[in-house]
Amino acid sequence: MFAFRETLALDPDPASGSRVEVAFTDVSLDLREGDRLGAALAALSDAAGVPFSRLDQVHGAAVVAVTGPADELPSADGQVAAARGVGLMVRVADCVPVVLADPTAGVLGAAHAGRRGVELDVVTRTVEGMRALGAADIVAWVGPHICGRCYEVPATMREEVAAAVPTTYAETSWGTPALDLGAGVSAQLAAAGVAATRVPGCTLEDRRFHSHRRDGAAAGRFAGLVWLS
């Protein structure tokens, strides 16, 4: 179920048993909308021990503060929380999943950074939302995504996005225009003063992950997750 999982002790009381948990799911779990989503979410909640708040992701830069799962999904691409007993989820199939935490303050964040979200800087908006909840020392994990060697785009699109985020400018391994969304997200996090861990894996090349570029309409969705256990 989890291709990557990391646990951080909460400060200043690591003996309390509370932990910040970070994970990225693998292809064995399909979290796309549909009849099977309920069972997949239930399995994920059982494994993590918390329910997960998810979003109606619209490839924008809106960020919402949440206290738990909602019956009507917020239309946003970032979410932040300072509540225990709830996890944050973003779902992807080539875009960049970013999860964030301030272990001392117990503030969490998650962002879905596709091409448009990187251009609009949804990651920085998410950091700002966390700071509004009291976060000060934020760390981030940049999850598996389609890499710059594989994410071919029209030349005009590359120029447009790179004009806003220069580090996204890339070329495929076969010599055509591309975007490196992970490099763009990493640069935005660094500019916001957030230390980041890059979790390896190109979704197009690595079959542990769902990929829309590889599988088209049949592609599932995997998730970036962060929660307080």
Side-chain angles (χ1 to χ4, degrees), residues 162-180:
V165 190
T167 51
T168 60
Y169 190 98
E171 187 175 277
T172 64
S173 59
W174 53 96
T176 57
L179 289 170
D180 189 336

Side-chain angles (χ1 to χ4, degrees), residues 106-130:
V107 179
L108 309 178
H112 160 249
R115 173 188 60 81
R116 187 64 174 149
V118 173
E119 188 177 6
L120 295 173
D121 203 357
V122 65
V123 169
T124 301
R125 303 289 85 77
T126 304
V127 170
E128 291 170 347
M130 293 177 67

Side-chain angles (χ1 to χ4, degrees), residues 41 65 75 82 85 90 100 114 116 144 149 171 178 186 215 227:
L41 289 171
S75 293
V90 288
L100 312 96
R116 187 64 174 149
R149 299 177 307 159
E171 187 175 277
S186 293
D215 301 326
W227 69 99

Side-chain angles (χ1 to χ4, degrees), residues 4-6 8 22 24 96-101 138-145 182 185-186 189-190 194-201:
F4 173 91
R5 186 168 179 176
E6 184 170 345
L8 298 180
V22 172
F24 296 92
V96 187
V98 184
V99 293
L100 312 96
I138 301 172
V139 290
W141 292 258
V142 178
H145 57 276
V185 165
S186 293
L189 288 168
V194 175
T197 296
R198 290 282 294 267
V199 178

Side-chain angles (χ1 to χ4, degrees), residues 29 59 101 122 197 225:
L29 196 68
H59 291 277
V122 65
T197 296
L225 308 164

